[in-house]
């Protein structure tokens, strides 16, 4: 358990630094233009979780630590959108299309609603 926490923490540290470097690479974040840095992070994260997830499905030795390093730690800090994408594809591969569609709709709708509610709370209090 302690080793797992260390593995996730260290790989998460690297993931957050990589995310920051992508943002720096795209210059200062302008919220009035298309958010390219976030888009790139999400797409790259989805690509990487596709690799990690497939390796895990093929029972790569040390799969548990690969999962903790790749999916939970590094990609968890880099982007959680990758986990959302992988879980949706897994549902589709398991012939659970209604759950896959529900997952997409619920994540998008609830996520946007949560942003609106959070924004409203700050604006109404501040």
């Amino acid at each position: 358990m302690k080793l797992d926490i260390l593995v996730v923490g260290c790989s998460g540290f690297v993931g957050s630094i990589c995310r920051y470097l992508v943002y720096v690479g795209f210059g200062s974040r302008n919220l009035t233009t298309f958010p390219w840095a976030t888009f790139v992070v999400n797409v790259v994260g989805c690509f990487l979780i596709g690799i990690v997830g497939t390796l895990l499905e093929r029972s790569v030795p040390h799969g548990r630590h690969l999962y903790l390093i790749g999916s939970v730690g590094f990609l968890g800090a880099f982007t959680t959108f990758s986990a959302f994408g992988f879980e949706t594809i897994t549902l589709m591969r398991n012939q659970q299309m209604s759950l896959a569609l529900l997952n997409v709709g619920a994540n998008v709708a609830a996520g946007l609603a949560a942003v609106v509610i959070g924004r409203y709370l700050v604006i109404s209090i501040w």
Side-chain angles (χ1 to χ4, degrees), residues 1 6 10 12 31-32 34-35 39 42 44 53 56 58 60 69 72 94-95 98-101 107 112 119 123:
M1 178 73 161
L6 182 63
C10 289
L31 296 178
T32 61
F34 189 81
F39 177 77
N42 286 337
V44 168
L56 290 172
R58 299 188 184 268
V60 170
I69 291 167
V72 178
N94 290 331
Q95 313 294 310
S98 59
L99 283 178
L101 291 172
N107 271 280
L112 291 175
R119 183 175 164 76
I123 289 171

Side-chain angles (χ1 to χ4, degrees), residues 27-104:
S28 62
R29 192 165 162 188
N30 182 349
L31 296 178
T32 61
T33 63
F34 189 81
W36 285 108
T38 300
F39 177 77
V40 167
V41 163
N42 286 337
V43 172
V44 168
C46 286
F47 173 73
L48 292 175
I49 205 166
I51 291 171
V52 171
T54 303
L55 288 172
L56 290 172
E57 287 173 357
R58 299 188 184 268
S59 300
V60 170
H62 311 293
R64 181 164 163 265
H65 284 113
L66 178 63
Y67 173 76
L68 291 176
I69 291 167
S71 298
V72 178
F74 179 82
L75 291 174
F78 192 62
T79 173
T80 56
F81 189 78
S82 57
F84 161 75
F86 187 74
E87 291 163 353
T88 302
I89 294 299
T90 299
L91 289 170
M92 294 168 76
R93 288 185 58 227
N94 290 331
Q95 313 294 310
Q96 296 175 300
M97 290 303 290
S98 59
L99 283 178
L101 291 172
L102 176 63
N103 190 43
V104 170

Side-chain angles (χ1 to χ4, degrees), residues 9-21 73-79:
C10 289
S11 56
F13 174 76
V14 173
S16 2
I17 290 171
C18 289
R19 182 181 184 128
Y20 171 74
L21 291 175
F74 179 82
L75 291 174
F78 192 62
T79 173

